[in-house]
Amino acid sequence: MPLPKEDKVYTYGDLLMWPEEERIELINGQPFMITPPSRIHQEISRELLTAFSVYVYP
């Protein structure tokens, strides 16, 4: 996908037309490429969810 024009404001409709395999987020009409979470991020998230679950559902 070519780089978007910086002076253009994109809409949700534009976002829907872009390829699904690209991780793009729109913030105030500007597209930002986002990276998938790293392995360590996923491990920390899992540990936090487990600790929270054990606390809420003993």
Side-chain angles (χ1 to χ4, degrees), residues 1 3-16 18 24-33:
M1 179 174 122
L3 292 175
K5 297 178 183 176
E6 290 186 26
D7 58 342
K8 183 173 190 245
V9 175
Y10 292 89
T11 65
Y12 181 69
D14 295 325
L15 178 68
L16 293 176
W18 294 335
I24 301 171
E25 182 174 328
L26 277 181
I27 300 175
N28 294 328
Q30 297 301 312
F32 291 90
M33 300 292 287

Side-chain angles (χ1 to χ4, degrees), residues 5-58:
K5 297 178 183 176
E6 290 186 26
D7 58 342
K8 183 173 190 245
V9 175
Y10 292 89
T11 65
Y12 181 69
D14 295 325
L15 178 68
L16 293 176
M17 300 301 292
W18 294 335
E20 289 184 22
E21 61 272 0
E22 293 189 28
R23 297 175 54 96
I24 301 171
E25 182 174 328
L26 277 181
I27 300 175
N28 294 328
Q30 297 301 312
F32 291 90
M33 300 292 287
I34 53 177
T35 59
S38 66
R39 182 183 57 80
I40 190 71
H41 177 272
Q42 295 295 78
E43 290 175 2
I44 292 170
S45 295
R46 183 189 68 229
E47 292 298 324
L48 287 171
L49 179 61
T50 301
F52 183 70
S53 296
V54 167
Y55 179 77
V56 173
Y57 305 108

